[in-house]
Amino acid sequence: ALTNAAKHAPGAQIEVLIRPVAGGLEVLVENGGAGAPSSLAATGSGSGLTGLAREVEAGGGSLTAGPAPGGGWAVRALIAGEAAEVIPQR
């Protein structure tokens, strides 16, 4: 999600929220939108969010992505139970 924000909304403010929720962990990456996508937007396989969703869902979680309420774009992952435990807590 951070890579996509850098590619598709260069210069936009990016907010990242990571918090525990019932049964797992929520990760929210949101950008405020910006000018034209960078030249990096044309690089890669074009399946970043699809691949990310596949990985999250394989662990029993879910991923949604789309326009953010205040403009820009938001990606929200719910990482389920045991998969969330592999993320180090500080």
Side-chain angles (χ1 to χ4, degrees), residues 5 11 18 20 22 26-27 31-32 34 38 44 49-51 61 65 68-69 73-74 78 85-87:
I18 302 171
E26 175 185 32
V27 179
N31 72 67
S38 74
L49 288 177
T50 302
W73 196 260
L78 294 174
E85 293 175 16
V86 301
I87 297 173

Side-chain angles (χ1 to χ4, degrees), residues 58-80:
S62 63
L63 185 128
T64 56
W73 196 260
V75 177
R76 179 176 181 249
L78 294 174
I79 301 171

Side-chain angles (χ1 to χ4, degrees), residues 16-57:
V16 178
L17 170 71
I18 302 171
R19 66 179 175 182
V21 294
L25 191 69
E26 175 185 32
V27 179
L28 176 65
V29 177
E30 191 170 305
N31 72 67
S38 74
S39 60
L40 293 174
T43 65
S45 66
S47 62
L49 288 177
T50 302
L52 184 56
R54 186 173 41 250
E55 294 296 323
V56 170
E57 291 167 3

